[in-house]
Amino acid sequence: MFLHELSRAISKDWVLRVDQEQYGELVRQYFSNRCPYCLIDLTNSTAIVEHLDGMNRYRAGLHVVGNVLVACRKCNSEKRRDDSLKALTLASSGWASFLSHDGMACASGCKTCRYWESVWVDPGERKKKLTENLQRIIQFRAIFPEFQLALPTLAQALPISLTKLYSDCQIFAETEIKTLLLNFIAASENQS
Ligand SMILES: [Zn+2]
Ligand SMILES: [Zn+2]
């Protein structure tokens, strides 16, 4: 909710906006209408709106050009494992981390490494595709100068602000619940 509001506020004067048809076309053209992660043709499979930096408190991604694209449903759900980690070890962003599971750095039970093994069986091809796809996304993001300009500040400040917001909300909710509870107890005691 907060991230959606922030997305609107930040990008309101940008040349290209995420809700413009032109942006959707640009994304499909850039990735040849394929999933940017596994390269499956999206003409015949379910395409889903994907946020490179996930819209949660750890990844603090925004709904803006450069962060929104279309991916296949499978990758979108497989990527959530990296997105939900508080601290990443393979890369500095969730999407780069997702594309870094080449079977070399993780424990043998890693589900994402297994996933990529199922997509590209040959280890050499797998490594090559993952690297190429990572580079393609980096180049794609470079098309949007306004996004590039805002990104470092956001990446640094947002997770801290969001963590504070979550904790403030929780403290607020707990205090409110406690007050409500006390009021109810007092009211019921007055009645009896
Ligand atoms: Zn995919
Ligand atoms: Zn892995």
Side-chain angles (χ1 to χ4, degrees):
M1 176 71 180
F2 167 73
L3 285 172
H4 270 285
E5 288 294 328
L6 185 67
S7 304
R8 259 193 292 275
I10 280 182
S11 64
K12 70 178 183 344
D13 296 323
W14 290 8
V15 180
L16 192 61
R17 284 188 316 279
V18 77
D19 49 3
Q20 285 171 322
E21 207 174 303
Q22 209 186 334
Y23 180 67
E25 275 168 27
L26 191 148
V27 168
R28 285 191 180 263
Q29 231 168 43
Y30 197 93
F31 295 98
S32 314
N33 202 25
R34 286 173 184 277
C35 172
Y37 304 123
C38 73
L39 302 179
I40 197 170
D41 191 342
L42 293 175
T43 323
N44 299 313
S45 51
T46 344
I48 196 165
V49 173
E50 159 74 8
H51 295 95
L52 286 168
D53 291 317
M55 289 185 86
N56 64 40
R57 68 172 132 161
Y58 298 135
R59 302 288 88 81
L62 295 182
H63 190 68
V64 295
V65 297
N67 197 45
V68 173
L69 32 75
V70 269
C72 77
R73 192 175 285 278
K74 190 93 177 95
C75 285
N76 176 274
S77 100
E78 296 280 341
K79 175 172 165 280
R80 259 175 238 160
R81 270 192 300 274
D82 291 76
D83 278 346
S84 60
L85 292 174
K86 188 175 181 186
L88 298 166
T89 52
L90 296 177
S92 58
S93 65
W95 60 269
S97 174
F98 180 51
L99 288 171
S100 299
H101 288 264
D102 56 7
M104 310 296 278
C106 301
S108 61
C110 175
K111 284 180 180 166
T112 311
C113 286
R114 290 291 95 80
Y115 174 59
W116 291 129
E117 278 170 25
S118 74
V119 177
W120 295 292
V121 180
D122 179 71
E125 189 195 10
R126 192 186 317 138
K127 175 87 188 147
K128 185 171 170 279
K129 295 287 185 201
L130 289 173
T131 311
E132 281 173 4
N133 295 350
L134 192 105
Q135 289 306 321
R136 194 179 298 111
I137 294 174
I138 292 173
Q139 284 158 19
F140 168 75
R141 292 196 17 135
I143 302 174
F144 311 98
E146 294 141 324
F147 175 63
Q148 290 291 317
L149 224 65
L151 201 60
T153 324
L154 291 175
Q156 209 177 30
L158 259 185
I160 300 164
S161 312
L162 285 174
T163 304
K164 188 178 181 307
L165 184 69
Y166 272 78
S167 126
D168 286 352
C169 286
Q170 194 161 7
I171 292 167
F172 173 75
E174 278 167 10
T175 317
E176 277 294 286
I177 290 167
K178 208 171 170 183
T179 312
L180 271 176
L181 208 64
L182 289 175
N183 287 345
F184 271 110
I185 292 169
S188 66
E189 275 171 356
N190 282 342
Q191 266 175 5
S192 58

